């Protein structure tokens, strides 16, 4: 995870367990699932997730933040493969 810097760009993506983490300049997207098992593998996963969250919190705390960012509405596009 040493090369993942939260909110640094629009291109970085990484995996932690079965989770995918995508970097954006205004958000971090995390999706998938993870099971933290009570073993060494679970401990490694928990530590990796903690490092990601700690980096994200640190990045947020170093900035003046708005109450809430505005999100652009999703544009719905007609399915070009749909039969009319």
């Amino acid at each position: 995870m040493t090369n993942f810097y939260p909110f640094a760009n629009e291109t970085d993506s990484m995996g932690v367990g079965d989770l995918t983490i995508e970097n954006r300049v205004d958000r971090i997207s995390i999706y998938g699932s993870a099971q933290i098992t009570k073993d060494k593998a679970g401990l490694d996963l928990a530590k990796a997730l903690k490092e990601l969250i700690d980096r994200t919190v640190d990045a947020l705390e170093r900035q003046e933040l708005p109450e809430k960012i505005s999100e652009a509405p999703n544009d719905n596009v007609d399915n070009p493969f749909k039969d009319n």
Side-chain angles (χ1 to χ4, degrees):
M1 179 170 342
T2 58
N3 295 326
F4 190 90
Y5 301 99
F7 311 108
N9 57 53
E10 297 278 330
T11 58
D12 288 347
S13 178
M14 63 177 285
V16 175
D18 290 332
L19 295 174
T20 299
I21 297 96
E22 293 180 345
N23 212 3
R24 303 287 305 271
V25 295
D26 65 345
R27 71 193 74 222
I28 303 298
S29 297
I30 302 172
Y31 53 91
S33 65
Q35 292 186 12
I36 300 173
T37 52
K38 193 175 178 180
D39 54 18
K40 289 182 180 182
L43 177 60
D44 290 344
L45 177 58
K47 285 181 176 182
L49 291 172
K50 181 181 182 307
E51 182 181 350
L52 171 66
I53 296 301
D54 287 347
R55 282 185 182 200
T56 302
V57 169
D58 289 345
L60 290 167
E61 288 180 336
R62 287 192 307 265
Q63 301 177 34
E64 183 72 29
L65 299 171
E67 287 297 316
K68 182 167 174 42
I69 64 170
S70 61
E71 296 185 36
N74 292 334
D75 293 330
N76 289 331
V77 178
D78 290 333
N79 183 346
F81 302 106
K82 180 181 174 186
D83 293 332
N84 288 332

